[in-house]
Amino acid sequence: GANMAGKTVMLKTVALSQYLCQFGFFVPAAKASVCLVNRIMTSIGDEQSELKGLSAFAAEILKISHIVAAAKTDKKLLVLIDELARTTNPTEGKAIVSATANMLNGMGIRGIITTHYSGVKTDCHRLRVRGFVDSINETVTIDNLSSFIDYSLVDDDSGLVPQEALRIASLLGVDDELLGLARKAIDEDT
């Protein structure tokens, strides 16, 4: 999904809704179909530990290993993983996302994995946040940026992720020279 498109908020909302349902409360939806689970397992945020000598990637991959181990013994899990493998190189990161999605899907685990990687190879159902509106006719600031994003989910079979990081940076007033160098680097890669 795109930067600032609500991926993390969506995952936290799904977890909260699952807990609300399981504890007998209404969920924040006009209509919902919720399967009860034994556990909700998440990997959201940076859990690096300088005290344990773990980098952000090491802490994350250990958490993913723990989730996979749990999935092998309990199929009634809800797994929510935010931007899996974001702290490693794109080649291995994409492979880790593909492997994790395919393994959990193959075990029949319900879950959501968000990513910025294009070309993830999986048979899982793919959705993306629609993203920025096409035309913006007013000044964008940090305070109103989110009002220009369409947070609705749409099916996406392309496997490509939106390329909006530089647009967001530009809208936020990031230095033009820096953005120009970034655009040049992208042009050279393509």
Side-chain angles (χ1 to χ4, degrees):
N3 297 93
M4 297 187 63
K7 296 179 301 296
T8 305
V9 171
M10 183 265 308
L11 288 178
K12 290 179 177 182
T13 302
V14 168
L16 176 62
S17 296
Q18 184 73 40
Y19 280 122
L20 286 170
C21 174
Q22 294 214 189
F23 288 118
F25 295 98
F26 291 108
V27 299
K31 179 180 174 185
S33 176
V34 181
C35 297
L36 299 181
V37 297
N38 293 332
R39 290 170 69 184
I40 300 171
M41 301 190 77
T42 65
S43 178
I44 299 174
D46 183 351
E47 296 186 26
Q48 70 178 310
S49 173
E50 295 83 4
L51 297 175
K52 292 182 182 177
L54 294 177
S55 67
F57 175 75
E60 177 186 37
I61 205 67
L62 285 173
K63 182 166 252 192
I64 297 306
S65 182
H66 179 71
I67 289 170
V68 168
K72 287 182 175 183
T73 62
D74 185 359
K75 302 302 180 214
K76 291 188 72 175
L77 300 177
L78 174 61
V79 175
L80 305 171
I81 303 172
D82 193 26
E83 294 186 32
L84 178 57
R86 70 189 169 281
T87 57
T88 193
N89 68 75
T91 302
E92 290 178 304
K94 183 170 44 172
I96 290 168
V97 172
S98 295
T100 304
N102 288 328
M103 186 171 196
L104 294 175
N105 190 43
M107 289 189 281
I109 301 297
R110 295 185 194 297
I112 300 171
I113 299 174
T114 66
T115 185
H116 282 289
Y117 292 120
S118 291
V120 172
K121 294 179 179 12
T122 180
D123 291 331
C124 297
H125 188 129
R126 295 172 193 237
L127 298 169
R128 69 171 173 81
V129 173
R130 190 171 305 272
F132 274 97
V133 296
D134 289 330
S135 60
I136 299 174
N137 299 324
E138 59 185 270
T139 303
V140 178
T141 67
I142 292 173
D143 295 329
N144 71 358
L145 180 64
S146 65
S147 64
F148 298 104
I149 300 173
D150 180 345
Y151 292 100
S152 59
L153 294 174
V154 295
D155 286 313
D156 183 17
D157 293 325
S158 72
L160 301 174
V161 294
Q163 305 278 319
E164 294 182 334
L166 295 180
R167 182 177 180 197
I168 292 169
S170 177
L171 290 170
L172 293 173
V174 170
D175 185 87
D176 286 333
E177 183 179 359
L178 173 64
L179 295 177
L181 291 171
R183 285 186 191 94
K184 183 178 176 187
I186 289 172
D187 290 343
E188 290 171 358
D189 282 346
T190 57

